[in-house]
Amino acid sequence: MREKEFLPAVKERLGIEELNEMQKKMMASASEPHDIILLSPTGSGKTLAFTLPVMKLMKPSTGRVQCVVVAPSRELVVQIAGVMREVAHDFRVVALYGGHSVEDEVNSLKVVPDIIVSTPGRLLDHAVRKNVDLLPVRILVLDEFDKSLELGFEEEMGKIIKRMKNVSRFILTSATSANVLPDFLNLDQPVTFNYLDKNTGLRERMKVHRVDSDGKDKLESLLTLLHSINSGGKLEKSIIFVNHRESAERVADFLSKNKVSSVLYHGALDQRERETALALFNNGSRPILVATDLAARGLDIEKVASVVHYHQPLTLEAYTHRNGRTARVEEEGDVYVLVGPEEEVKEFVEFDDTYSLDTSAKTRLSSEFMTLYVSAGKREKISKGDILGFLVKEGDISPDDIGKINVFDHYSLVAVKEGVVPRLLNAVEGKKLKKEKRRISPLK
């Protein structure tokens, strides 16, 4: 595929005026007959970097799967598929992952996609059930391949690749360097693009603050910290990292009781709960995310002002990935490490200063936005534009009153300024969205 056919979509649909050095080199690499290993830090534009050579290698639709992208987590699959759909708008992109309706996926595969983005287990399951034929696949991308192997997907990956006997181009990506590649990856003179050293400027854009807590529990200190760092009046996005699911639930419950607009995120939540949590965080209606290390990498999280280590991470790698959630793409960010009495600081943590908690700071920690639930999504042929137009026309509100809109398979979430919600709900009651009455209500 020629560049002039897909590059306009990068600008128009993704809002990217100019490709970075890594993305330009990756796109140029498609003209060379070599497999590719891309090492690049989180937040550097890696998804677009591997999408560009894929686009150059794609041929007109043939009714067969041309490219498969395998990623280790559901969230990463959704993120990658979202980017690829915007760039590859002439091709059919399907996302397959656990926690997603199998029936919907089977239906989506009846019209053979050009590109599949999937977790390893789900892809193998569809292949075994003969819902998809992987034999024609020419391009295979393994995103975060080191994480896939760490999570125990190696056996599944081996079985998948055995079904792809016609792959002529491998693209492997990772945010950390991997010393050993599995035997089933028979790469052809791979070229490595290593941009990990580009992450050195991250530390310069980030300030790491020590925050001493009087109590072992740290909950009151956490609340005081949130009041202190948001004393400017605007509630900024922060991620609070803990080491265990139970701790995440306890911290989130405490913040909720203290009227903090927060949301919980960990691996025991089901897929819908996890995607809803990220939507609420990204749309600003719940700007405080309480999370385990599941949120430390592989998620599309925008403009995080600060990271708070409620618990110190157990490893340097976890510390690095947590901190990488802020100060992304040339932005600045703050990292706060809560240190309890007699608690030893990990050897890999280096402080720039000690942050003094302002116990007199009392600011509003609730968002001006709330999220509305709409009982229809992509499968009902509903788009963001449909929802925006309906709410503005029938709801008697301004487009400025509406924030981010997320459209999922069978439902949608809309951030709306809290002050207009009663008027909006009253105005749209009984009205039809695309010729059907849809339930529109505050998300509980």
Side-chain angles (χ1 to χ4, degrees):
M1 191 176 183
R2 291 173 296 180
E3 294 171 27
K4 66 179 183 180
E5 295 177 50
F6 62 83
L7 279 183
V10 174
K11 181 178 180 179
E12 294 164 13
R13 295 175 176 236
L14 297 180
I16 296 173
E17 294 292 331
E18 186 176 355
L19 302 178
N20 62 30
E21 176 195 343
M22 173 183 69
Q23 291 161 347
K24 289 176 182 176
K25 281 197 173 181
M26 284 290 288
M27 186 165 63
S29 71
S31 303
E32 302 294 328
H34 302 293
D35 293 326
I36 303 166
I37 298 174
L38 174 62
L39 305 176
S40 176
T42 300
S44 58
K46 181 161 53 69
T47 302
L48 181 58
F50 69 69
T51 296
L52 295 171
V54 167
M55 288 299 96
K56 284 189 71 172
L57 292 165
M58 292 290 287
K59 296 177 180 178
S61 291
T62 60
R64 296 182 173 187
V65 182
Q66 296 188 53
C67 172
V68 167
V69 182
V70 178
S73 70
R74 304 166 181 177
E75 290 79 5
L76 197 49
V77 165
V78 172
Q79 176 190 325
I80 293 167
V83 171
M84 297 193 88
R85 283 189 183 109
E86 297 297 345
V87 180
H89 53 90
D90 289 336
F91 296 103
R92 192 157 186 275
V93 180
V94 166
L96 311 173
Y97 51 90
H100 194 216
S101 166
V102 175
E103 184 180 352
D104 282 348
E105 290 185 353
V106 170
N107 288 335
S108 71
L109 291 168
K110 284 180 179 176
V111 177
V112 179
D114 303 285
I115 300 171
I116 290 176
V117 187
S118 181
T119 51
R122 198 59 160 231
L123 181 62
L124 182 60
D125 184 59
H126 280 296
V128 168
R129 294 172 186 268
K130 299 189 180 343
N131 296 328
V132 62
D133 179 12
L134 299 179
L135 187 61
V137 174
R138 298 183 299 105
I139 311 159
L140 177 61
V141 181
L142 304 182
D143 191 33
E144 301 281 9
F145 69 89
D146 62 315
K147 195 68 178 175
S148 294
L149 300 181
E150 179 185 312
L151 292 173
F153 292 139
E154 187 168 352
E155 184 179 348
E156 289 175 339
M157 287 303 308
K159 290 178 180 178
I160 289 168
I161 290 173
K162 276 185 180 178
R163 293 173 176 268
M164 299 183 183
K165 300 189 184 301
N166 293 304
V167 172
S168 57
R169 186 66 58 95
F170 285 90
I171 302 175
L172 276 61
T173 82
S174 176
T176 53
S177 184
N179 296 323
V180 180
L181 294 175
D183 293 338
F184 57 75
L185 285 177
N186 187 21
L187 302 188
D188 180 22
Q189 298 178 303
V191 174
T192 299
F193 296 109
N194 190 339
Y195 287 88
L196 295 178
D197 61 343
K198 299 291 184 184
N199 212 25
T200 53
L202 174 65
R203 185 63 181 89
E204 296 168 10
R205 304 193 309 273
M206 177 191 298
K207 295 293 182 187
V208 181
H209 313 278
R210 176 180 177 132
V211 183
D212 289 307
S213 172
D214 293 338
K216 226 174 176 182
D217 197 320
K218 305 187 199 176
L219 285 173
E220 291 296 339
S221 297
L222 173 63
L223 184 60
T224 303
L225 174 64
L226 292 176
H227 278 294
S228 299
I229 63 180
N230 290 288
S231 57
K234 183 182 178 184
L235 187 55
E236 296 187 321
K237 282 186 185 172
S238 299
I239 303 180
I240 301 164
F241 281 107
V242 298
N243 288 345
H244 310 288
R245 294 171 182 172
E246 297 78 8
S247 302
E249 291 171 358
R250 190 166 62 89
V251 171
D253 185 54
F254 172 81
L255 294 180
S256 178
K257 287 177 180 175
N258 282 275
K259 299 181 179 178
V260 179
S261 292
S262 58
V263 65
L264 176 68
Y265 185 84
H266 60 59
L269 302 176
D270 65 31
Q271 177 60 24
R272 182 154 172 167
E273 289 171 324
R274 282 158 63 172
E275 67 186 14
T276 297
L278 291 179
L280 295 177
F281 181 61
N282 269 330
N283 73 18
S285 62
R286 303 284 182 87
I288 310 295
L289 183 71
V290 182
T292 58
D293 284 334
L294 182 66
R297 64 187 282 178
L299 298 183
D300 184 16
I301 296 177
E302 308 160 357
K303 297 187 181 302
V304 176
S306 57
V307 163
V308 179
H309 298 276
Y310 183 82
H311 291 144
Q312 291 183 61
L314 302 178
T315 65
L316 170 60
E317 183 183 22
Y319 181 65
T320 301
H321 284 298
R322 285 182 181 186
N323 290 350
R325 295 288 90 194
T326 189
R328 290 160 71 91
V329 195
E330 306 308 318
E331 293 178 352
E332 295 185 349
D334 289 286
V335 173
Y336 300 90
V337 182
L338 281 165
V339 182
E342 302 178 11
E343 182 180 357
E344 290 188 15
V345 176
K346 299 284 187 181
E347 67 277 2
F348 47 76
V349 178
E350 295 181 358
F351 298 112
D352 294 310
D353 58 40
T354 298
Y355 186 87
S356 297
L357 292 173
D358 182 359
T359 54
S360 65
K362 294 295 176 187
T363 188
R364 174 177 166 162
L365 293 177
S366 58
S367 172
E368 66 171 326
F369 282 93
M370 69 181 298
T371 294
L372 298 182
Y373 169 89
V374 181
S375 63
K378 295 173 188 173
R379 300 289 175 179
E380 290 74 36
K381 309 298 183 185
I382 297 294
S383 69
K384 293 180 184 180
D386 294 330
I387 293 171
L388 177 63
F390 173 77
L391 295 180
V392 170
K393 181 182 176 183
E394 305 291 350
D396 188 29
I397 61 172
S398 163
D400 294 337
D401 294 324
I402 300 175
K404 196 175 181 70
I405 300 174
N406 293 95
V407 181
F408 299 100
D409 279 352
H410 294 292
Y411 72 102
S412 304
L413 301 176
V414 190
V416 180
K417 285 186 179 175
E418 191 171 21
V420 305
V421 168
R423 184 174 87 241
L424 167 65
L425 293 178
N426 185 60
V428 301
E429 187 175 1
K431 302 284 178 63
K432 292 182 178 181
L433 170 58
K434 288 197 80 170
K435 301 180 181 180
E436 293 276 350
K437 287 184 180 180
R438 313 289 185 182
R439 181 160 65 90
I440 301 176
S441 58
L443 184 71
K444 295 180 182 178

